[in-house]
Amino acid sequence: MNRIAQVCVNLPARNIDKVFSYAIPETLHFLDIGWRVVVPFGNRTYEGFIVALSALSEETSFEYEVKPIMDVLDSQAWFSDSMLQTAKWISEYYLCTLAEAMRLFIPGKTGIKSEKQFGIISGLEQAAMEQILSRLPPQPQAVYDYLKKHEPVVLSKLKKVFGDYTEAALNDLLANKLIVCTTTAKKRSVPQFTTSVRLAILPAEAEIYLETLVGKPAQKRLVALLLQKEEVKYSDLSTWQITRDTVNRLVKAGVAENVKQQVLRNSYSGMGLREQTVRLTPEQQQTIDRIIPTIDEQQYRSFLLHGITGSGKTQIYIEAVAAVRQQDRQAIVLVPEIALTGQIVSRFKERFGEDVVVMHSKLSIGERHDAWQRLQEESAGIVIGARSAVFSPVTRLGIIVIDEEHEFTYKQEEQPHYHTRQVAAKRAELEGAVLLLGSATPSVETYYEAQQGRHILLTLNKRIDHSLLPEVQIVDMREELAQGRRSVISAPLQQLLADTLQRQEQAIILLNRRGYATFVLCRECGHIIKCKHCSVSMVYHNSSNMLRCHYCQASCPAPDICPVCASRYIRYFGTGTQKLEEELGKIFPQARVIRMDQDSTGRKMAHDRIITSFSRGEYDILLGTQMVAKGHDIKNVTAVGIISADSALNLPDFRSAERTFSLLTQAAGRAGRGDKAGQVVIQTYNPEHYAIMASSSHNYEVFYRQEIEARKSLQYPPFSELLKLTVFSSDENQARSQAEHIARQLGKELPYDRQTEIIGPFAAPIAKINNSYRVNILIKSKELANIKSQIVELKLNSRNDVLLDIEPLNIL
Ligand code: ADP
Ligand code: ZN
Ligand code: ZN
């Protein structure tokens, strides 16, 4: 009997959110739930995911013709049951389509590439056809003749043969109904192979041959190596300083040969995990002793590891992951940004070697696919990556670690707006795995949940090697001004830097604004130069002498005269990292300064290079945006300067205090991690603000107690749930009137629902970005479920001019 598959078709459209029935052909009888398949839809082919199966009975009737599944994409199901359940949960919770949610779990947006192909229409009367053709220009005639011989031909092939004329010629032929266009699907996934080299002759012969290789050291090395190891992978050649060229020479000589093999499954099992070499501190030991038993139980548990900066949290992650690997289960380790976390990756690699797969955003779709396949086949047991790695197709999940769980990068700022922590919790729960969240400055919500018993709270209060937390000095910039100092570098910071340089130690300086001058003003008429497409001021970049918009990347040459009043009194204000770099050069001409921000790290892995050379002592001062505050552990850094502690504090967002506290504490935590004491200077105009005071004493609890009170009195999360609805349009009035209409529609139900409050509509603080006006509605509720179902009923979730952000991190 025929079986029917319910397939979620991977369509880009948001307004089609249902599954479709397809017949499973006899040839694909093995198909089951979770497989990725190729299906016809309309007149094209798409990727689809099987989400359910049913038997075809006599009574079943369909409103449309049931077509058969055409092909499969993998050699096993891609989605495990819990991955599928997680995807369903995401689509319901974050109000996106099932296809959008399932797409998160696959490398690239789709596993197939569709391409147009062309063929001639047969059955035309020869004479009629020739007559039509003769009226056409020569190019279409040539294309027609070619198709006649070679059909079907894909567009890319035709373009190679006929060049620029191809499309025009095809259009002519299509218009005259001489040819047809269909689409064909090309699979993206290819089975993974490794190539190795081995001897093509007997060992005894090789020994003799070795003697003949005089003056050919590389070939000699390779032959000796092959005698010893039998087989060497291409990917390992570089470690022996052997090039492909050397291999080719020996292959040509008939001494060696290439072997291609599909990568073996379970290759890790022979690889024995390395013994631990670090002796845990008593605090670390107690902590890990609480985690390991729950790993053995194989039941969902979640932990919040609150450990001050430099307390050795990474070691706890490593031990917990080792325990999971002992049981042959797999681990997902999430970091805020892979480029900024080279250290955690190398520590995992030191301990687990080849068992670790690293997911970079810079991996190609093919490389990503291969990496995921290794996890799926269990030939690797640990994946480290940024937020999207939470979707890795590990088959037997034992733990998910989220390092620096408070970081905002864990929230996806595009559709679907999921939060990694929530997805991870769901997945771990479904798979009976452990969730381990770690931070020196946990998010207020997570800490609150721990207080409520939803996570087991573990604390590390001591730094490794008894090093002390750095001493923090707060500098009131109003006083600096009163004393007539106008430099962005205060007297105490200048002193600290001078002392540090003198002792040949290193300093990190944080300034969260890139560029040279943050705004450009005409002194004559007061005009500030704004971006044409966005409602923000343009930033001056001196390296290129250009003004640049940091929102839409538009740029223009810096003007000499005011575009409004033509005066020459154009002045630059507000210090960015480029200008700070220049000022430091003036004050400390002998210091070696390196800048790290988005402009200096444009190229691949530039972060890593900057951090590595700084940690090797090639520079004295590292200055930059918040990326300098993250994660690194450099023992010779004894001074940290924070130029403007207020930049985040002044944002009209209820999380601004939390953001400030965490940035300052993390930045300060970079100092004094070795045996030398650290010192920190924080410059601010709000020295009495609790976020700044608490960070100067590194006291999370003090901050938390005040912050949670503030949240409670205003009923902000964790005491409510938020939903941000943004209406956007190129027409300002249209955006506003649509938003008002939506607010009224949603408001109709509200008198019966005292739990829910609708705030707005109000123009977003940056009302225009990239020529698109944005109007926000913020919904605050004890229980969003009602309002969510209303949103679905009104079909707001499938509108193209509406964006929904469930539990937004950014309410602006
Ligand atoms: P955190 O992530 O809590 O800021 P790290 O994990 O980076 O701290 O650890 C800080 C430093 O202490 C690192 O250099 C690490 O190698 C070292 N370290 C951690 N645990 C131990 C230990 N048990 N013995 C010796 N050194 C350790
Ligand atoms: Zn002017
Ligand atoms: Zn712009």
Side-chain angles (χ1 to χ4, degrees):
M1 184 171 64
N2 261 334
R3 287 189 308 158
I4 295 292
Q6 306 299 321
V7 175
C8 167
V9 182
N10 186 0
L11 298 169
R14 282 177 76 193
N15 51 3
I16 305 176
D17 189 16
K18 57 181 205 174
V19 294
F20 295 89
S21 298
Y22 287 90
I24 297 180
E26 207 35 58
T27 47
L28 301 175
H29 62 90
F30 50 84
L31 284 181
D32 207 337
I33 292 172
W35 281 71
R36 298 198 298 166
V37 292
V38 180
V39 292
F41 188 88
N43 53 7
R44 295 186 54 182
T45 46
Y46 282 93
E47 175 184 42
F49 315 115
I50 301 182
V51 295
L53 291 172
S54 55
L56 180 61
S57 63
E58 298 288 308
E59 299 91 75
T60 330
S61 70
F62 292 96
E63 41 192 295
Y64 49 86
E65 179 202 354
V66 174
K67 295 180 187 159
I69 289 172
M70 296 159 72
D71 203 351
V72 293
L73 285 173
D74 314 291
S75 52
Q76 66 187 92
W78 186 273
F79 290 87
S80 67
D81 185 50
S82 65
M83 282 161 71
L84 189 58
Q85 296 307 324
T86 308
K88 282 186 180 155
W89 175 83
I90 290 173
S91 77
E92 284 157 21
Y93 190 84
Y94 292 107
L95 302 177
C96 64
T97 66
L98 184 57
E100 275 178 307
M102 294 188 84
R103 260 203 299 274
L104 295 167
F105 289 80
I106 58 170
K109 286 204 157 57
T110 166
I112 61 176
K113 227 165 95 177
S114 61
E115 200 175 11
K116 285 185 186 166
Q117 68 176 14
F118 297 88
I120 61 172
I121 293 179
S122 51
L124 279 183
E125 215 178 288
Q126 183 75 11
M129 187 267 300
E130 266 169 20
Q131 203 196 355
I132 304 172
L133 210 56
S134 66
R135 288 201 303 264
L136 293 176
Q139 291 95 4
Q141 293 188 19
V143 172
Y144 187 84
D145 286 342
Y146 185 85
L147 284 177
K148 215 165 156 185
K149 280 200 204 103
H150 302 280
E151 69 165 351
V153 187
V154 293
L155 181 60
S156 55
K157 170 79 189 176
L158 285 172
K159 278 186 172 166
K160 262 190 211 138
V161 180
F162 295 98
D164 292 346
Y165 301 110
T166 316
E167 267 159 357
L170 288 170
N171 281 339
D172 275 351
L173 293 169
L174 283 169
N176 283 291
K177 302 213 162 58
L178 291 168
I179 61 168
V180 283
C181 170
T182 50
T183 55
T184 125
K186 214 161 77 187
K187 290 194 223 179
R188 275 225 172 91
S189 42
V190 277
Q192 200 195 3
F193 289 99
T194 54
T195 315
S196 326
V197 53
R198 69 178 175 208
L199 287 174
I201 52 179
L202 294 174
E205 294 169 332
E207 305 262 4
I208 298 166
Y209 186 75
L210 201 56
E211 301 299 310
T212 68
L213 288 169
V214 186
K216 293 171 183 164
Q219 293 187 44
K220 214 168 167 168
R221 254 200 329 273
L222 180 54
V223 174
L225 193 65
L226 293 177
L227 274 166
Q228 195 191 331
K229 298 186 70 105
E230 269 175 39
E231 217 173 273
V232 177
K233 279 190 206 152
Y234 264 43
S235 53
D236 292 341
L237 286 172
S238 59
T239 43
W240 311 97
Q241 273 136 28
I242 291 165
T243 62
R244 293 279 174 96
D245 206 42
T246 308
V247 176
N248 290 341
R249 270 165 224 255
L250 287 176
V251 170
K252 253 196 186 150
V255 176
E257 63 187 3
N258 289 321
V259 226
K260 218 175 185 187
Q261 22 186 219
Q262 183 142 27
V263 170
L264 292 175
R265 293 181 179 208
N266 286 332
S267 63
Y268 83 88
S269 44
M271 203 203 62
L273 303 176
R274 243 162 276 184
E275 272 303 301
Q276 137 192 6
T277 45
V278 187
R279 267 192 57 168
L280 297 181
T281 63
E283 234 193 356
Q284 283 174 323
Q285 190 63 53
Q286 281 163 18
T287 304
I288 197 69
D289 285 347
R290 303 258 323 260
I291 301 174
I292 302 258
T294 65
I295 290 174
D296 295 339
E297 279 169 22
Q298 312 211 349
Q299 269 179 19
Y300 171 65
R301 277 294 157 72
S302 75
F303 293 92
L304 171 60
L305 173 60
H306 176 212
I308 59 171
T309 54
S311 58
K313 293 184 288 294
T314 312
Q315 203 57 40
I316 303 290
Y317 306 152
I318 290 177
E319 300 304 329
V321 167
V324 165
R325 293 301 291 136
Q326 215 95 69
Q327 297 180 343
D328 272 356
R329 293 203 292 159
Q330 291 166 295
I332 298 177
V333 179
L334 302 171
V335 294
E337 252 172 282
I338 200 81
L340 298 177
T341 37
Q343 283 181 337
I344 190 168
V345 170
S346 54
R347 284 175 61 194
F348 267 84
K349 286 219 156 165
E350 260 164 44
R351 178 71 176 271
F352 301 103
E354 298 264 317
D355 201 30
V356 178
V357 167
V358 182
M359 303 295 308
H360 288 280
S361 62
K362 305 234 158 91
L363 291 184
S364 69
I365 291 173
E367 288 170 317
R368 206 177 160 82
H369 197 279
D370 288 350
W372 277 15
Q373 201 167 341
R374 281 188 65 205
L375 294 165
Q376 203 168 38
E377 295 174 348
E378 293 183 55
S379 71
I382 303 164
V383 53
I384 304 184
R387 61 170 181 265
S388 61
V390 76
F391 302 108
S392 304
V394 301
T395 28
R396 297 194 303 150
L397 184 66
I399 190 169
I400 302 180
V401 174
I402 304 186
D403 184 31
E404 310 288 3
E405 68 83 34
H406 64 279
E407 284 282 354
F408 282 27
T409 52
Y410 285 121
K411 170 90 176 175
Q412 165 134 310
E413 283 300 345
E414 57 205 61
Q415 190 77 12
H417 290 268
Y418 67 86
H419 196 296
T420 312
R421 204 193 297 126
Q422 276 171 306
V423 175
K426 194 73 205 169
R427 213 175 154 186
E429 191 186 321
L430 286 164
E431 307 208 19
V434 163
L435 176 66
L436 176 55
L437 310 170
S439 176
T441 53
S443 74
V444 169
E445 279 105 321
T446 306
Y447 202 76
Y448 179 78
E449 286 170 3
Q451 301 284 332
Q452 302 291 304
R454 288 180 48 201
H455 311 290
I456 301 168
L457 183 63
L458 307 168
T459 28
L460 294 173
N461 282 320
K462 296 190 189 72
R463 275 191 156 184
I464 297 293
D465 289 338
H466 311 288
S467 63
L468 296 175
L469 282 166
E471 190 186 300
V472 179
Q473 181 183 0
I474 297 181
V475 174
D476 186 343
M477 291 306 276
R478 293 169 304 193
E479 277 173 24
E480 283 279 307
L481 214 56
Q483 287 167 16
R485 285 187 56 94
R486 315 191 65 166
S487 167
V488 290
I489 299 169
S490 64
L493 179 56
Q494 187 170 338
Q495 188 60 48
L496 173 63
L497 291 174
D499 294 346
T500 308
L501 291 170
Q502 167 99 51
R503 289 193 303 265
Q504 300 194 337
E505 292 166 359
Q506 290 167 289
I508 291 179
I509 301 185
L510 168 72
L511 171 60
N512 225 350
R513 286 188 300 243
R514 65 197 171 87
Y516 187 86
T518 50
F519 63 101
V520 183
L521 174 105
C522 167
R523 290 285 284 263
E524 202 64 32
C525 74
H527 176 68
I528 291 178
I529 299 183
K530 295 235 163 103
C531 174
K532 286 196 184 74
H533 316 286
C534 312
S535 44
V536 295
S537 54
M538 298 288 272
V539 175
Y540 176 60
H541 286 249
N542 70 335
S543 47
S544 50
N545 197 33
M546 297 283 265
L547 300 185
R548 228 179 275 158
C549 169
H550 285 184
Y551 285 83
C552 74
Q553 313 311 329
S555 64
C556 63
D560 294 323
I561 56 168
C562 171
V564 173
C565 74
S567 106
R568 297 198 155 270
Y569 288 100
I570 296 279
R571 291 291 177 267
Y572 299 100
F573 291 91
T575 301
T577 45
Q578 292 174 356
K579 183 162 178 205
L580 181 64
E581 187 179 20
E582 190 179 283
E583 298 238 324
L584 282 168
K586 279 186 206 147
I587 306 175
F588 304 109
Q590 74 290 4
R592 298 162 302 164
V593 178
I594 185 159
R595 196 183 88 227
M596 180 158 90
D597 55 31
Q598 228 167 295
D599 302 307
S600 73
T601 58
R603 280 162 302 143
K604 201 169 173 174
M605 295 313 281
H607 297 92
D608 244 13
R609 245 178 288 135
I610 294 175
I611 290 291
T612 309
S613 57
F614 180 65
S615 67
R616 282 203 207 112
E618 289 162 20
Y619 295 93
D620 305 304
I621 300 177
L622 168 68
L623 86 95
T625 50
Q626 84 271 359
M627 45 179 94
V628 302
K630 309 278 155 91
H632 17 273
D633 182 44
I634 300 168
K635 308 282 185 216
N636 196 38
V637 171
T638 54
V640 166
I642 294 157
I643 297 295
S644 169
D646 311 325
S647 54
L649 204 54
N650 297 332
L651 293 175
D653 189 313
F654 75 94
R655 283 196 181 83
S656 64
E658 176 177 347
R659 239 182 241 240
T660 302
F661 173 78
S662 120
L663 182 61
L664 298 187
T665 309
Q666 296 285 348
R670 298 311 112 210
R673 293 167 76 95
D675 46 14
K676 288 168 279 195
Q679 272 178 295
V680 178
V681 168
I682 295 179
Q683 302 183 167
T684 174
Y685 289 93
N686 300 286
E688 59 296 312
H689 193 285
Y690 65 92
I692 290 176
M693 305 240 299
S695 70
S696 73
S697 57
H698 313 278
N699 198 327
Y700 180 81
E701 275 77 17
V702 164
F703 165 74
Y704 174 79
R705 275 199 298 275
Q706 304 207 38
E707 180 65 16
I708 202 77
E709 280 311 312
R711 299 277 181 97
K712 193 169 187 176
S713 67
L714 295 168
Q715 288 293 299
Y716 271 121
F719 301 98
S720 64
E721 294 176 71
L722 296 179
L723 187 155
K724 181 172 77 172
L725 191 153
T726 305
V727 183
F728 55 97
S729 164
S730 55
D731 175 353
E732 195 172 0
N733 289 328
Q734 168 79 6
R736 172 154 283 278
S737 64
Q738 280 302 320
E740 275 164 2
H741 180 64
I742 291 171
R744 268 198 306 277
Q745 279 181 311
L746 291 174
K748 271 190 204 141
E749 300 291 323
L750 279 189
Y752 313 105
D753 181 0
R754 287 166 177 258
Q755 309 276 38
T756 305
E757 183 188 346
I758 296 183
I759 305 165
F762 53 89
I766 298 171
K768 181 173 76 161
I769 293 183
N770 230 338
N771 291 326
S772 173
Y773 289 89
R774 309 174 314 139
V775 177
N776 286 340
I777 299 170
L778 193 64
I779 296 161
K780 193 154 104 179
S781 177
K782 284 267 179 225
E783 172 63 71
L784 277 178
N786 276 342
I787 211 96
K788 278 190 193 169
S789 51
Q790 230 182 308
I791 282 173
V792 173
E793 219 162 275
L794 295 169
K795 296 200 163 65
L796 296 176
N797 54 334
S798 57
R799 272 173 63 164
N800 283 327
D801 61 341
V802 171
L803 275 183
L804 294 168
D805 190 348
I806 314 295
E807 291 172 33
L809 277 193
N810 193 342
I811 62 166
L812 304 184

